[in-house]
Amino acid sequence: MIKVGIVGGTGYTGVELLRLLAQHPNVELRAVTSRSESGMPVSQMYPNLRGRVDLPFTEPSLDNLGECDVVFFATPNGVAMKQVPELLDKGIKVIDLAADYRLKSPAQWQQWYGMAHASEHLLAEAVYGLPEVNREAIKTARLVANPGCYPTAVQLGFLPLLKAGLIDTQTLVADAKSGVSGAGRKAEVHTLLCEAGDSFKAYGVAGHRHLPEIKQGLAHISGQDVGLTFVPHLLPMIRGIHATLYARLTSDVADLQALYEQSYANEAFVDVLPAGSHPETRTVRGANMCRMAVHRPQGGDTVVILSVIDNLVKGAAGQAVQNMNIMCGLPETTGLNHIALLP
Amino acid sequence: MIKVGIVGGTGYTGVELLRLLAQHPNVELRAVTSRSESGMPVSQMYPNLRGRVDLPFTEPSLDNLGECDVVFFATPNGVAMKQVPELLDKGIKVIDLAADYRLKSPAQWQQWYGMAHASEHLLAEAVYGLPEVNREAIKTARLVANPGCYPTAVQLGFLPLLKAGLIDTQTLVADAKSGVSGAGRKAEVHTLLCEAGDSFKAYGVAGHRHLPEIKQGLAHISGQDVGLTFVPHLLPMIRGIHATLYARLTSDVADLQALYEQSYANEAFVDVLPAGSHPETRTVRGANMCRMAVHRPQGGDTVVILSVIDNLVKGAAGQAVQNMNIMCGLPETTGLNHIALLP
Amino acid sequence: MIKVGIVGGTGYTGVELLRLLAQHPNVELRAVTSRSESGMPVSQMYPNLRGRVDLPFTEPSLDNLGECDVVFFATPNGVAMKQVPELLDKGIKVIDLAADYRLKSPAQWQQWYGMAHASEHLLAEAVYGLPEVNREAIKTARLVANPGCYPTAVQLGFLPLLKAGLIDTQTLVADAKSGVSGAGRKAEVHTLLCEAGDSFKAYGVAGHRHLPEIKQGLAHISGQDVGLTFVPHLLPMIRGIHATLYARLTSDVADLQALYEQSYANEAFVDVLPAGSHPETRTVRGANMCRMAVHRPQGGDTVVILSVIDNLVKGAAGQAVQNMNIMCGLPETTGLNHIALLP
Amino acid sequence: MIKVGIVGGTGYTGVELLRLLAQHPNVELRAVTSRSESGMPVSQMYPNLRGRVDLPFTEPSLDNLGECDVVFFATPNGVAMKQVPELLDKGIKVIDLAADYRLKSPAQWQQWYGMAHASEHLLAEAVYGLPEVNREAIKTARLVANPGCYPTAVQLGFLPLLKAGLIDTQTLVADAKSGVSGAGRKAEVHTLLCEAGDSFKAYGVAGHRHLPEIKQGLAHISGQDVGLTFVPHLLPMIRGIHATLYARLTSDVADLQALYEQSYANEAFVDVLPAGSHPETRTVRGANMCRMAVHRPQGGDTVVILSVIDNLVKGAAGQAVQNMNIMCGLPETTGLNHIALLP
């Protein structure tokens, strides 16, 4: 059994990790920490876990985490970068679901997250945890930076075209839509039901924190810098991301559908739908899955890719468990075979 | 492995059965029938099942169902009563998720469902599949009438008080609220998103089909006829039933909380929350669970019970699988350990 | 033109007052105050008011409010009771949308709102602003306590039966459901879209602040104390209250439908639906209207009344404008003829 | 008073027309027709209109419509083209909210709508009713083709850039999202709450009927053919369209914000938000208004325009009333000053 700890278990990625790990056949939950709720039973805050998670929240100390094999950070940005070094020193593997180790450049981190990096010596070592791109490196990683939700949907969508070198990399467009759970469980006015419900808007058009992460990832995949316009939007629902991606073909291509199907033929968690499909976010609700479809409207030279994930699963907790499985030598799908809840 | 067939797999109880059975360790899905969609792959209609259910819909014939050990009917009311007899004759166990075998009186069936009963000789034999009441009879049943969604939430809520004989049985009130999936997947105006969304209403106040079923069940539990006012309402959401139950105490009772906790101490799928709780439907979303709380406002003689289920799980498909487990001698929780999806 | 000020214009009752008053033909908006947002244009916070309300938020001082004829308080409970006396002294009429002047007993105020009353000498004078009950007193009032949202729906629903003396007043049940906007625009976890959305729960079963207000109102209508069980619930939507009311008949009554129709025949803002109807909250969305239906299920002695309002309109801002019209001698419907937005 | 008839009043554009016209100071409603519901009071189907619209639905005959000054068609596509000629012959002005007269080419009509045009001699005469483009022609029109909802939001968004000749007209992208009411009130599975709720998807990527309409409109505005990729999506809510538009600058431009503000300075129903804004659909809910913002992310050469309307108002019924006002010589804003319902 893998002994697992979660730092910052009160947020939505935390409770989703708990849902997945409590049903994982090879995991023993040892500690769930929360500075603010220390002492409260986890299942009091999240009654869906009654009878399944019997731990209380505890202080995020080495006393509580020191005997874990793997520790997940489900904390706000800027927390993990301070606590990770001592865990690694103890030989504990770390998977950070926040952004702390995603950007390779400490200057970019400071620019987009507004604080100096507290452990920038680890940035080079940290492996970006997108298994479909970095599986080999993840196998041996001590520290995995779990990708953001938008970056997962966008990178998986563009990947086959970029690898094949078929598109203009300077004029990419990602029009992405997210459920409100992506904003977390903080008490804020703009995510109240009466503000975010029954309405729709874009946000962060001038620049969203996931932009540098996506550009870094796409550049890594394609081997060159990319130009990307990224517009996130807020959907009046809880879970789900839909990325609508636009790229211009520079070479002719016989069969986009085949290209996509072949690219992901061996991936358990990427599902290329039949030609002409329109994936719905509900088909991945609660499941560690990215479903996508590729279109070429009216046979023109613009390709449209539709890519959906559950932002809390393949976009966060599920992908983190997928990374844990890889790091621990388990079959990648262990504990991740949930079927999406539909309707 | 239990060889299982589903008759009428295109509706919401059908797809929910498929979700549960496809993950059940002792089940082999043999046939999913649909007269209208015969030939279409099941996963084309329900892409959440891609890679998990590889069957096509087939005709509901003995050819397709004859080798099953258990057949579930997820058909509209009035279908099972015609087809069940020949399946029973073949030695196949049947669990009917429709209403065909729930009412013991053929006259009541005709009154509330508007048609003569096609196999009323089976009404006496059919076991009402509420395990918390009829577990022993279910073990040996050939034919189980799976309870309705409202009846499940209401009966489990009143049960401890009725068994203890503490309340006036003539003035019961059940104010119940259901998500729209309870109405099924038929194309009808009143369940369109633009009709049922962002609004709330009561319906069927003059008399709802679940009224005689609930009264029959409560009478069975209490050993006497009951008087019940039942008002169902439609919630602007997909899954979930919340029953708010009102009863008047006739005897004083030392500790209602203890009464409820003891009544359900050995039940895996009924969870009595701590005193003062208010169960949320989301804490059972996707899970085979009834959570409830009991209140006595201002210490008066009115008891208020709050009882929540997922209408598609403990209110339909999950309870049906629970019944199958009991009928087949499996541990009752087999394949039913899903944790509710929250948020 | 009536010169109008609003104290506390940043909340949902504030913006709804602004929507109604900006379209009112006899009103000139003079000041909208907010301590926290002083200086910000109102239409920056609420872009639906762009081009219609050109005022900035200002400090809630006599300088800003002193020249008003009428001042509305849309502040949290406990604010108006401190500021109202000096406005009344200036000869300004006040309509308080908070609870400060609703309860006649200062002891009850302290018990339910947790603070001593700052101007209890005004409690006797303050008129409870339910026009269908207190129209004559409102005409000459200096200070009107605008009713709460639940109390409006519940009192209007029970009124005809209580006035006619047909029901047992000791066993009333009000099972009420409210949209989330009733909780205001405060940043709190439990009203986040991811907490209150796609779910349903009861709350405050042990005792809700509207309970003493409703009981006081029902006692006033019936001329005797009443026994009431009041269970509020939170709907996963923004606007709308649906009260489902239960009462036991003590006398036989020839025609409940006629009783209700006659009771409200002269009321512009109460609409008794035809026999057998089920009012939907969406039929009053944005409109100053209470629609209701009366049922007697299975001809028994339990009466069920279904009563719907928009909690922000007939349950708050609309009723406040209705009171202003009455206090200022305008036709009661002036500026209140909006048709509900459906769908 | 303008005597007005509505053909096909049972759908969502019909009831929205009724809401607006019942409150219009210069309109007298004479007939609301529906073949299927003939005889039923309009307010029985739409209780929000109780006390405001006293007409029953009637047959769509000249007997019923012959004395109208203006007739609106809120019928399915293909109905108006058969009935309009005889109304025009009677001297009645017609505003068609369906697509029958939007496309100038009868071949395109046949291609996209799958039927031959029944009155193609009127296509040249029909004026495309987008007042911000065709106001002068509308003034004297007998027959106005009211624009589609997507086309309104998209054309108004691109208009300033196209008129100024600043962008590459061959690589336009319109990523548009619509509430479900755009699909009408037909009983269909895909618009059930349980299908369209709590989920998000694209549809019609291969080609949507609004594509040729938008391309025709943009070509008219820019004076040349345009290349457009148009991807519509379905939002889990009732009302509102959000178009996110992408264009590549070909010339440098000093001040996009000023360009947009000046373009619409004299338009009552187009509101350019301050620089940096993100319009929300709720700020136009129920209002005849298009709000928009223009962005140039990271100072690059991609312009992003965000444009929101209520699909039933500025995208249908409201714009139709705006056209009626223009055709009848009334001030354009008459009866259209509703403030959006927020929250």
Side-chain angles (χ1 to χ4, degrees), chain D:
Chain D
M1 298 295 276
I2 306 168
K3 295 190 285 288
V4 166
I6 299 176
V7 180
T10 62
Y12 292 140
T13 48
V15 63
E16 189 69 356
L17 268 174
L18 285 163
R19 182 178 73 92
L20 297 174
L21 294 172
Q23 300 178 85
H24 193 293
N26 301 89
V27 162
E28 180 191 346
L29 268 173
R30 293 295 284 265
V32 186
T33 80
S34 163
R35 222 177 279 278
S36 61
E37 306 298 344
S38 182
M40 179 195 282
V42 168
S43 66
Q44 180 176 329
M45 175 171 284
Y46 291 118
N48 62 323
L49 299 173
R50 282 171 59 87
R52 307 300 288 276
V53 174
D54 292 330
L55 299 169
F57 291 111
T58 52
E59 291 289 330
S61 65
L62 264 189
D63 281 358
N64 290 318
L65 299 168
E67 297 189 6
C68 293
D69 301 310
V70 178
V71 167
F72 294 88
F73 278 80
T75 43
N77 296 319
V79 173
M81 66 182 184
K82 295 177 190 152
Q83 301 180 15
V84 164
E86 68 174 354
L87 293 175
L88 293 182
D89 288 349
K90 287 272 188 179
I92 299 172
K93 294 175 198 286
V94 171
I95 300 170
D96 178 24
L97 285 81
D100 297 24
Y101 297 102
R102 292 181 193 156
L103 298 179
K104 289 300 171 189
S105 152
Q108 271 202 334
W109 166 264
Q110 178 136 11
Q111 175 190 346
W112 288 92
Y113 291 89
M115 47 186 138
H117 204 288
S119 52
E120 63 176 81
H121 63 287
L122 292 172
L123 289 179
E125 177 187 347
V127 176
Y128 189 69
L130 193 59
E132 293 77 6
V133 173
N134 291 331
R135 182 170 286 111
E136 287 310 307
I138 295 165
K139 285 181 182 170
T140 56
R142 291 196 305 164
L143 170 57
V144 163
N146 210 57
C149 47
Y150 286 127
T152 296
V154 173
Q155 290 174 79
L156 293 177
F158 277 130
L159 183 147
L161 287 168
L162 286 175
K163 278 206 166 166
L166 294 171
I167 52 173
D168 176 5
T169 58
Q170 294 312 303
T171 58
L172 304 176
V173 171
D175 188 290
K177 301 88 175 172
S178 175
V180 181
S181 60
R185 195 169 169 273
K186 295 175 296 293
E188 294 186 325
V189 169
H190 75 286
T191 48
L192 294 176
L193 184 140
C194 294
E195 298 291 309
D198 200 23
S199 191
F200 184 77
K201 66 171 178 181
Y203 65 102
V205 177
H208 182 283
R209 286 170 169 183
H210 284 174
L211 177 65
E213 180 184 342
I214 299 173
K215 290 183 72 170
Q216 172 184 286
L218 296 181
H220 174 70
I221 292 167
S222 70
Q224 57 184 293
D225 274 358
V226 301
L228 171 70
T229 301
F230 170 56
V231 178
H233 302 74
L234 194 64
L235 284 166
M237 59 187 217
I238 298 175
R239 287 171 179 248
I241 279 184
H242 185 292
T244 312
L245 309 176
Y246 301 87
R248 301 193 68 79
L249 289 170
T250 48
S251 320
D252 210 11
V253 54
D255 189 342
L256 282 171
Q257 180 69 21
L259 172 70
Y260 270 71
E261 290 183 1
Q262 287 157 15
S263 293
Y264 290 118
N266 297 317
E267 292 296 340
F269 297 121
V270 181
D271 177 27
V272 177
L273 298 181
S277 297
H278 301 91
E280 305 171 74
T281 59
R282 65 179 184 152
T283 66
V284 296
R285 188 193 292 133
N288 193 55
M289 184 63 68
C290 176
R291 298 197 204 274
M292 63 176 67
V294 57
H295 290 258
R296 191 171 169 181
Q298 293 93 50
D301 58 3
T302 298
V303 182
V304 177
I305 304 104
L306 314 172
S307 167
V308 302
I309 59 171
D310 183 327
N311 54 299
L312 294 180
V313 192
K314 184 61 178 166
Q319 188 146 266
V321 173
Q322 186 180 353
N323 280 316
M324 179 196 76
N325 287 344
I326 298 171
M327 294 163 84
C328 296
L330 295 172
E332 199 164 322
T333 58
T334 311
L336 289 174
N337 56 351
H338 307 276
I339 294 177
L341 206 63
L342 181 166

Side-chain angles (χ1 to χ4, degrees), chain A residues 12 181 185 191 193-195, chain C residues 12 181 191-195:
Chain A
Y12 293 140
S181 60
R185 196 170 169 271
T191 49
L193 185 142
C194 296
E195 298 291 309
Chain C
Y12 293 140
S181 61
T191 49
L192 293 176
L193 184 140
C194 296
E195 298 291 309

Side-chain angles (χ1 to χ4, degrees), chain C residues 163-338:
Chain C
K163 278 206 166 166
L166 295 171
I167 53 174
D168 176 4
T169 58
Q170 295 311 303
T171 58
L172 304 177
V173 171
D175 189 290
K177 302 87 175 172
S178 174
V180 181
S181 61
R185 195 169 169 271
K186 295 175 296 294
E188 294 185 325
V189 169
H190 74 286
T191 49
L192 293 176
L193 184 140
C194 296
E195 298 291 309
D198 200 23
S199 192
F200 184 77
K201 66 171 179 181
Y203 65 102
V205 178
H208 181 283
R209 286 169 169 183
H210 284 174
L211 176 65
E213 180 184 341
I214 298 173
K215 290 183 71 171
Q216 172 184 284
L218 296 181
H220 174 68
I221 292 167
S222 69
Q224 58 183 294
D225 275 358
V226 302
L228 172 70
T229 301
F230 170 55
V231 178
H233 302 74
L234 194 62
L235 284 165
M237 59 186 217
I238 298 175
R239 287 172 181 248
I241 279 183
H242 185 293
T244 311
L245 309 176
Y246 301 86
R248 300 192 70 79
L249 289 170
T250 49
S251 319
D252 209 12
V253 54
D255 189 341
L256 282 171
Q257 180 70 21
L259 172 69
Y260 270 72
E261 290 183 3
Q262 287 157 15
S263 292
Y264 291 119
N266 297 316
E267 291 296 340
F269 298 122
V270 181
D271 177 28
V272 178
L273 298 180
S277 297
H278 300 91
E280 304 172 74
T281 60
R282 64 178 185 153
T283 66
V284 297
R285 188 192 291 134
N288 193 56
M289 184 63 68
C290 176
R291 297 195 204 274
M292 63 177 66
V294 58
H295 290 257
R296 192 172 168 179
Q298 292 92 49
D301 59 3
T302 298
V303 182
V304 177
I305 304 105
L306 313 172
S307 166
V308 301
I309 59 171
D310 183 326
N311 54 300
L312 294 180
V313 191
K314 184 62 178 166
Q319 187 146 266
V321 173
Q322 186 180 352
N323 280 316
M324 179 196 77
N325 288 344
I326 298 171
M327 294 162 84
C328 296
L330 295 172
E332 201 165 320
T333 58
T334 312
L336 289 174
N337 56 353
H338 307 276

